PDB file of all heavy atoms in Angstrom:
ATOM      1  N   HIS O 212      -4.651   7.534  25.343  1.00 98.00           N
ATOM      2  CA  HIS O 212      -3.793   8.450  24.535  1.00 98.00           C
ATOM      3  C   HIS O 212      -4.633   9.070  23.347  1.00 98.00           C
ATOM      4  O   HIS O 212      -5.332   8.412  22.687  1.00 98.00           O
ATOM      5  CB  HIS O 212      -2.745   7.437  23.853  1.00 98.00           C
ATOM      6  CG  HIS O 212      -1.656   8.131  23.146  1.00 98.00           C
ATOM      7  ND1 HIS O 212      -0.604   8.848  23.710  1.00 98.00           N
ATOM      8  CD2 HIS O 212      -1.409   8.154  21.817  1.00 98.00           C
ATOM      9  CE1 HIS O 212       0.122   9.309  22.773  1.00 98.00           C
ATOM     10  NE2 HIS O 212      -0.282   8.973  21.534  1.00 98.00           N
ATOM     11  N   PHE O 213      -4.281  10.417  23.199  1.00 98.00           N
ATOM     12  CA  PHE O 213      -4.846  11.203  22.136  1.00 98.00           C
ATOM     13  C   PHE O 213      -3.688  11.468  21.103  1.00 98.00           C
ATOM     14  O   PHE O 213      -2.580  11.629  21.583  1.00 98.00           O
ATOM     15  CB  PHE O 213      -5.515  12.489  22.519  1.00 98.00           C
ATOM     16  CG  PHE O 213      -6.922  12.434  23.233  1.00 98.00           C
ATOM     17  CD1 PHE O 213      -7.321  13.520  23.921  1.00 98.00           C
ATOM     18  CD2 PHE O 213      -7.437  11.216  23.481  1.00 98.00           C
ATOM     19  CE1 PHE O 213      -8.478  13.557  24.540  1.00 98.00           C
ATOM     20  CE2 PHE O 213      -8.639  11.125  24.169  1.00 98.00           C
ATOM     21  CZ  PHE O 213      -9.159  12.277  24.615  1.00 98.00           C
ATOM     22  N   ASP O 214      -4.017  11.576  19.801  1.00 96.00           N
ATOM     23  CA  ASP O 214      -3.112  11.964  18.866  1.00 96.00           C
ATOM     24  C   ASP O 214      -3.171  13.545  18.538  1.00 96.00           C
ATOM     25  O   ASP O 214      -3.512  14.183  19.400  1.00 96.00           O
ATOM     26  CB  ASP O 214      -3.096  11.113  17.645  1.00 96.00           C
ATOM     27  CG  ASP O 214      -4.525  11.132  17.064  1.00 96.00           C
ATOM     28  OD1 ASP O 214      -5.359  12.084  17.155  1.00 96.00           O
ATOM     29  OD2 ASP O 214      -4.811  10.244  16.379  1.00 96.00           O
ATOM     30  N   ASP O 215      -2.660  13.940  17.362  1.00 95.00           N
ATOM     31  CA  ASP O 215      -2.660  15.374  17.218  1.00 95.00           C
ATOM     32  C   ASP O 215      -3.926  16.095  16.705  1.00 95.00           C
ATOM     33  O   ASP O 215      -3.879  17.217  16.340  1.00 95.00           O
ATOM     34  CB  ASP O 215      -1.418  15.597  16.259  1.00 95.00           C
ATOM     35  CG  ASP O 215      -1.518  14.716  15.024  1.00 95.00           C
ATOM     36  OD1 ASP O 215      -2.063  13.597  14.991  1.00 95.00           O
ATOM     37  OD2 ASP O 215      -0.968  15.097  13.884  1.00 95.00           O
ATOM     38  N   TYR O 216      -5.010  15.269  16.420  1.00 94.00           N
ATOM     39  CA  TYR O 216      -6.163  15.881  15.788  1.00 94.00           C
ATOM     40  C   TYR O 216      -7.020  16.302  16.828  1.00 94.00           C
ATOM     41  O   TYR O 216      -7.642  15.553  17.692  1.00 94.00           O
ATOM     42  CB  TYR O 216      -6.843  14.916  14.987  1.00 94.00           C
ATOM     43  CG  TYR O 216      -6.189  14.620  13.641  1.00 94.00           C
ATOM     44  CD1 TYR O 216      -5.250  13.539  13.454  1.00 94.00           C
ATOM     45  CD2 TYR O 216      -6.428  15.342  12.435  1.00 94.00           C
ATOM     46  CE1 TYR O 216      -4.620  13.255  12.241  1.00 94.00           C
ATOM     47  CE2 TYR O 216      -5.871  15.131  11.234  1.00 94.00           C
ATOM     48  CZ  TYR O 216      -4.983  14.206  11.149  1.00 94.00           C
ATOM     49  OH  TYR O 216      -4.303  13.822  10.033  1.00 94.00           O
ATOM     50  N   PHE O 217      -7.411  17.654  16.821  1.00 97.00           N
ATOM     51  CA  PHE O 217      -8.400  18.195  17.734  1.00 97.00           C
ATOM     52  C   PHE O 217      -9.421  18.958  16.667  1.00 97.00           C
ATOM     53  O   PHE O 217     -10.173  18.243  16.129  1.00 97.00           O
ATOM     54  CB  PHE O 217      -7.780  19.074  18.817  1.00 97.00           C
ATOM     55  CG  PHE O 217      -6.958  18.323  19.761  1.00 97.00           C
ATOM     56  CD1 PHE O 217      -5.589  18.107  19.632  1.00 97.00           C
ATOM     57  CD2 PHE O 217      -7.638  17.659  20.740  1.00 97.00           C
ATOM     58  CE1 PHE O 217      -4.876  17.368  20.472  1.00 97.00           C
ATOM     59  CE2 PHE O 217      -6.898  16.801  21.652  1.00 97.00           C
ATOM     60  CZ  PHE O 217      -5.453  16.676  21.468  1.00 97.00           C
ATOM     61  N   TYR O 218      -9.347  20.196  16.625  1.00 98.00           N
ATOM     62  CA  TYR O 218      -9.980  20.881  15.430  1.00 98.00           C
ATOM     63  C   TYR O 218      -9.059  20.383  14.211  1.00 98.00           C
ATOM     64  O   TYR O 218      -7.822  20.232  14.437  1.00 98.00           O
ATOM     65  CB  TYR O 218      -9.994  22.302  15.560  1.00 98.00           C
ATOM     66  CG  TYR O 218     -11.323  22.861  16.372  1.00 98.00           C
ATOM     67  CD1 TYR O 218     -11.148  22.912  17.669  1.00 98.00           C
ATOM     68  CD2 TYR O 218     -12.483  23.064  15.676  1.00 98.00           C
ATOM     69  CE1 TYR O 218     -12.252  23.227  18.478  1.00 98.00           C
ATOM     70  CE2 TYR O 218     -13.531  23.548  16.426  1.00 98.00           C
ATOM     71  CZ  TYR O 218     -13.375  23.633  17.774  1.00 98.00           C
ATOM     72  OH  TYR O 218     -14.539  24.120  18.559  1.00 98.00           O
ATOM     73  N   PRO O 219      -9.635  20.144  13.029  1.00 97.00           N
ATOM     74  CA  PRO O 219      -8.803  19.623  11.961  1.00 97.00           C
ATOM     75  C   PRO O 219      -7.649  20.548  11.446  1.00 97.00           C
ATOM     76  O   PRO O 219      -7.722  21.773  11.667  1.00 97.00           O
ATOM     77  CB  PRO O 219      -9.870  19.426  10.901  1.00 97.00           C
ATOM     78  CG  PRO O 219     -10.918  20.227  11.161  1.00 97.00           C
ATOM     79  CD  PRO O 219     -10.962  20.425  12.669  1.00 97.00           C
ATOM     80  N   TYR O 220      -6.658  19.967  10.949  1.00 97.00           N
ATOM     81  CA  TYR O 220      -5.644  20.753  10.325  1.00 97.00           C
ATOM     82  C   TYR O 220      -6.167  21.718   9.324  1.00 97.00           C
ATOM     83  O   TYR O 220      -7.123  21.245   8.497  1.00 97.00           O
ATOM     84  CB  TYR O 220      -4.570  19.972   9.637  1.00 97.00           C
ATOM     85  CG  TYR O 220      -3.483  19.370  10.602  1.00 97.00           C
ATOM     86  CD1 TYR O 220      -3.875  18.211  11.296  1.00 97.00           C
ATOM     87  CD2 TYR O 220      -2.331  19.936  10.868  1.00 97.00           C
ATOM     88  CE1 TYR O 220      -2.996  17.682  12.237  1.00 97.00           C
ATOM     89  CE2 TYR O 220      -1.339  19.482  11.698  1.00 97.00           C
ATOM     90  CZ  TYR O 220      -1.740  18.305  12.468  1.00 97.00           C
ATOM     91  OH  TYR O 220      -0.843  17.763  13.330  1.00 97.00           O
ATOM     92  N   PRO O 221      -5.813  22.908   9.173  1.00 97.00           N
ATOM     93  CA  PRO O 221      -6.406  23.889   8.221  1.00 97.00           C
ATOM     94  C   PRO O 221      -6.144  23.550   6.722  1.00 97.00           C
ATOM     95  O   PRO O 221      -5.134  23.023   6.395  1.00 97.00           O
ATOM     96  CB  PRO O 221      -5.642  25.166   8.431  1.00 97.00           C
ATOM     97  CG  PRO O 221      -4.325  24.870   9.100  1.00 97.00           C
ATOM     98  CD  PRO O 221      -4.610  23.562   9.949  1.00 97.00           C
ATOM     99  N   VAL O 222      -7.253  23.771   5.984  1.00 97.00           N
ATOM    100  CA  VAL O 222      -7.226  23.457   4.531  1.00 97.00           C
ATOM    101  C   VAL O 222      -7.414  24.808   3.901  1.00 97.00           C
ATOM    102  O   VAL O 222      -8.383  25.578   4.151  1.00 97.00           O
ATOM    103  CB  VAL O 222      -8.393  22.516   4.097  1.00 97.00           C
ATOM    104  CG1 VAL O 222      -8.355  22.315   2.664  1.00 97.00           C
ATOM    105  CG2 VAL O 222      -8.207  21.186   4.865  1.00 97.00           C
ATOM    106  N   ALA O 223      -6.437  25.211   2.971  1.00 96.00           N
ATOM    107  CA  ALA O 223      -6.596  26.533   2.246  1.00 96.00           C
ATOM    108  C   ALA O 223      -7.873  26.778   1.529  1.00 96.00           C
ATOM    109  O   ALA O 223      -8.447  25.855   0.895  1.00 96.00           O
ATOM    110  CB  ALA O 223      -5.501  26.539   1.333  1.00 96.00           C
TER     111      ALA O 223
END
Side-chain angles (χ1 to χ4, degrees):
H212 186 73
F213 287 174
D214 53 28
D215 50 328
Y216 285 92
F217 294 97
Y218 279 87
Y220 279 84
V222 177

